[in-house]
Amino acid sequence: METFNLVSIGKIRIEQDKPFIDVHSQYADAMLGLDTFSHIMVFYWFHLNDNPEARRVLQLRPRANPDNPVCGVFATHSPRRPNLIALTICRVLSIDGTTIALDEIDAKDGSPVVDIKCYIPEKIAAGEVHLPEWVKNRNQG
């Protein structure tokens, strides 16, 4: 098995229910031009699940809902997975120095950010996207 070395480029900060990314100062130059995008892709680490037991979970019921079918973790957004990398597309409210204010994010306070990418929507027609029923029904779980 190969291993890789990831470094944190910042941290998620939740302050009065408002999410921010505090980018480490040595990565300030990497933010040039980011303020011209309305949305970013935030890659972060599910640090609260970083233990051997959580990494061994390969199947579960999405959204912890017993009515949902058992799925492999690759078919879910579960924080339990072999590699604890998360991805969320976020709307940027503002950028002030190395602090990015976000509309919302599903990360926890203190989550290490491993990368940020500008969001450029791909050309996938809505009719070409197929989703299971449990995803379509937002009221489940």
Side-chain angles (χ1 to χ4, degrees):
M1 222 182 331
E2 290 183 70
T3 60
F4 301 92
N5 183 28
L6 289 177
V7 296
S8 169
I9 59 102
K11 290 235 185 246
I12 300 293
R13 175 171 46 94
I14 309 295
E15 194 171 280
Q16 298 177 346
D17 292 328
K18 294 180 181 163
F20 300 87
I21 300 173
D22 293 319
V23 176
H24 299 317
S25 60
Q26 67 263 39
Y27 300 107
D29 288 348
M31 297 177 65
L32 181 64
L34 195 61
D35 60 348
T36 63
F37 288 87
S38 65
H39 290 73
I40 57 175
M41 296 184 293
V42 180
F43 297 82
Y44 61 95
W45 197 256
F46 283 126
H47 69 298
L48 298 178
N49 289 307
D50 200 351
N51 62 68
E53 181 181 317
R55 286 175 174 249
R56 284 192 294 270
V57 173
L58 300 179
Q59 294 182 339
L60 46 73
R61 293 189 187 275
R63 300 179 178 151
N65 184 329
D67 295 331
N68 286 336
V70 172
C71 295
V73 294
F74 297 156
T76 75
H77 285 193
S78 172
R80 295 178 174 261
R81 43 200 333 106
N83 287 307
L84 304 168
I85 300 169
L87 165 64
T88 302
I89 297 172
C90 301
R91 186 164 65 94
V92 175
L93 297 179
S94 64
I95 298 177
D96 182 16
T98 57
T99 298
I100 305 169
L102 303 173
D103 181 33
E104 60 183 358
I105 192 167
D106 54 358
K108 303 289 186 191
D109 187 58
S111 294
V113 176
V114 296
D115 203 359
I116 297 169
K117 293 185 180 188
C118 60
Y119 177 68
I120 302 172
E122 299 297 324
K123 296 180 180 180
I124 299 176
E128 296 176 12
V129 176
H130 302 279
L131 301 170
E133 287 302 316
W134 67 264
V135 173
K136 295 176 190 175
N137 187 353
R138 295 281 182 198
N139 296 328
Q140 289 186 351

